[in-house]
Amino acid sequence: MQKQLSALGQDPGPHDGLWGRKTKAAALGLMQQHPELQSEPMLQEPRRVSAISWCRILGKRRGVARAFRPSAEKPNILFDKDASPTEKALVLGADKDARRYLYLRFGVSIAGRVDIAAGRDAKQVAANIVTLRRSRGDPIVDTRARVRKRCSDKDRWAAAAFYNQIFICWPQQDTYGADWAKQNRKRMTAILVHEHIHTMQTEYTLAKTRLYKRPDGRRVSGPEWMMEGTAMVVELDYAFRNFEGQGMPSFFRLQSPARASALKLADLGDITTEEEYSISLFAAYLLAERFGIQSLLEYWQAIGTGLDWDEAFQQVFGMKLAEYETQFETLRTHQSTAMNFIKTGS
């Protein structure tokens, strides 16, 4: 942000990454010089916690500032020691494709630099993500164990996002040649689309730079079901638009696992099981079908303007969060009611 302000003719002081009076004064001066910036709801009063929003929006609206966003830097990508050139090229290409899709489809542009640990060896992927997190000063408590657990199945793909990093691991096989890369380019892109949505959520809600949880114990960045549901709906949208011969899953297919579950949407905490993912997906899918898929992203932007979960939900969807969570218990079990919710909003 300090480099951006300098490029735009302001004096934020030394480019030391520290928030101070000169940086704030430079940001206020820029807003005074360019009144149109005052219409950006996510440009709150300039302060440390909102710096990531300034980086993103200045880079988007002011071309000269784009080169100074952290995301303009080449991400650090660490691979297994014996990774093939094909594997490395696949990750680089899929990450580029994921970012391009999110920008062209939704106008989403990540401001921060997101590093990646990628491979097929669970131990090496875990060690690499720890290295990446240490290099950024991020906490590493339980990181190694978490990654090794997610990547322990040698026959499955797995991935997850931290604030500044993503890890992705893929099935082990004898060779990783051009045919393997061609077969899996879009699969890896879809996975990275999902994880970059989580990066977007933490950026938009300013969760990267303020308390991870609120005093009441809830995440700053929103309900867990909404976080995962949004990422899954967007991932499905990518697959629908890019996988040849693959349409969106049918309404019945999405509703069935949610209908069969005894879990309540309002009671979901961390989403870890297939059952919890299915409920989260259907809950977000209904909102996307009624209000448009863009509304899911607008919810996180609303939180980033300073609204809490409930205020943001009311603003974007026209109802209280608790009201929807209660109504969902009927929507998940009655197909005609759910279809009516989508079509008429009743």
Side-chain angles (χ1 to χ4, degrees), residues 11 50 52 66 73 94 108 134 140 148 150 155 172 181 217 235 245 262 269 296 306:
D11 178 17
S50 62
I52 193 70
R66 187 173 298 117
E73 302 173 13
V108 169
R134 279 178 172 159
I140 60 171
R148 290 179 65 171
R150 292 290 293 271
D155 298 319
Q172 295 188 7
E235 180 181 353
L296 299 180

Side-chain angles (χ1 to χ4, degrees), residues 243-309:
F243 283 56
E244 185 175 350
Q246 177 171 322
M248 285 290 285
S250 68
F251 180 93
F252 180 77
R253 180 182 170 189
L254 292 174
Q255 186 188 39
S256 292
R259 181 174 56 203
S261 174
L263 298 175
K264 291 186 176 182
L265 183 64
D267 294 337
L268 296 183
D270 290 338
I271 310 301
T272 58
T273 68
E274 185 174 344
E275 182 180 9
E276 292 166 339
Y277 276 106
S278 296
I279 296 170
S280 301
L281 170 58
F282 190 58
Y285 166 81
L286 291 176
L287 293 172
E289 287 296 292
R290 176 174 169 181
F291 299 98
I293 192 171
Q294 187 75 36
S295 67
L296 299 180
L297 280 66
E298 290 171 357
Y299 175 68
W300 310 104
Q301 291 175 317
I303 293 178
T305 66
L307 302 181
D308 64 22
W309 293 7

Side-chain angles (χ1 to χ4, degrees), residues 5-304:
L5 289 169
S6 291
L8 294 170
Q10 302 296 319
D11 178 17
H15 299 166
D16 54 10
L18 301 177
W19 188 262
R21 287 178 295 178
K22 294 197 73 173
T23 302
K24 181 176 181 178
L28 290 173
L30 186 67
M31 291 189 81
Q32 192 172 36
Q33 184 180 351
H34 299 280
E36 70 275 13
L37 292 176
Q38 298 175 23
S39 65
E40 284 283 356
M42 297 189 71
L43 286 188
Q44 304 174 37
E45 178 184 354
R47 52 201 176 110
R48 184 183 63 83
V49 297
S50 62
I52 193 70
S53 290
W54 280 78
C55 280
R56 181 177 59 258
I57 293 169
L58 291 182
K60 187 175 181 179
R61 296 188 60 147
R62 301 286 163 183
V64 69
R66 187 173 298 117
F68 297 105
R69 286 190 304 185
S71 59
E73 302 173 13
K74 186 177 180 180
N76 291 327
I77 304 180
L78 300 183
F79 298 94
D80 294 347
K81 294 178 180 178
D82 61 346
S84 67
T86 303
E87 290 173 289
K88 294 179 179 179
L90 177 61
V91 174
L92 290 169
D95 185 55
K96 183 177 180 180
D97 290 348
R99 291 172 180 270
R100 182 188 300 113
Y101 158 76
L102 290 172
Y103 182 75
L104 294 178
R105 178 78 168 99
F106 304 106
V108 169
S109 180
I110 304 299
R113 193 189 81 220
V114 181
D115 299 328
I116 300 175
R120 47 193 145 75
D121 185 305
K123 290 183 179 179
Q124 286 194 46
V125 174
N128 285 339
I129 199 72
V130 167
T131 297
L132 291 173
R133 289 182 64 74
R134 279 178 172 159
S135 71
R136 304 284 287 272
D138 296 331
I140 60 171
V141 177
D142 297 330
T143 298
R144 194 183 302 269
R146 175 183 172 187
V147 176
R148 290 179 65 171
K149 181 179 179 180
R150 292 290 293 271
C151 295
S152 61
D153 190 334
K154 299 179 181 180
D155 298 319
R156 297 185 62 181
W157 292 76
F162 296 91
Y163 281 173
N164 298 307
Q165 302 87 20
I166 290 172
F167 73 83
I168 182 169
C169 41
W170 48 86
Q172 295 188 7
Q173 56 186 57
D174 294 334
T175 60
Y176 300 88
D179 289 342
W180 172 82
K182 182 178 180 181
Q183 180 182 359
N184 289 289
R185 174 72 171 254
K186 291 179 180 178
R187 179 198 295 265
M188 184 177 288
T189 301
I191 293 171
L192 289 173
V193 163
H194 182 118
E195 302 308 333
H196 277 305
I197 284 293
H198 289 319
T199 300
M200 176 276 295
Q201 289 165 338
T202 59
E203 277 198 3
Y204 277 16
T205 59
L206 309 183
K208 281 188 175 185
T209 48
R210 59 180 180 177
L211 292 175
Y212 178 66
K213 291 189 177 181
R214 307 184 333 174
D216 61 7
R218 299 198 297 179
R219 294 176 188 263
V220 164
S221 50
E224 285 83 345
W225 69 260
M226 188 69 171
M227 294 182 69
E228 284 300 338
T230 296
M232 295 174 76
V233 168
V234 173
E235 180 181 353
L236 283 177
D237 180 78
Y238 170 82
F240 170 64
R241 293 169 178 275
N242 292 276
F243 283 56
E244 185 175 350
Q246 177 171 322
M248 285 290 285
S250 68
F251 180 93
F252 180 77
R253 180 182 170 189
L254 292 174
Q255 186 188 39
S256 292
R259 181 174 56 203
S261 174
L263 298 175
K264 291 186 176 182
L265 183 64
D267 294 337
L268 296 183
D270 290 338
I271 310 301
T272 58
T273 68
E274 185 174 344
E275 182 180 9
E276 292 166 339
Y277 276 106
S278 296
I279 296 170
S280 301
L281 170 58
F282 190 58
Y285 166 81
L286 291 176
L287 293 172
E289 287 296 292
R290 176 174 169 181
F291 299 98
I293 192 171
Q294 187 75 36
S295 67
L296 299 180
L297 280 66
E298 290 171 357
Y299 175 68
W300 310 104
Q301 291 175 317
I303 293 178

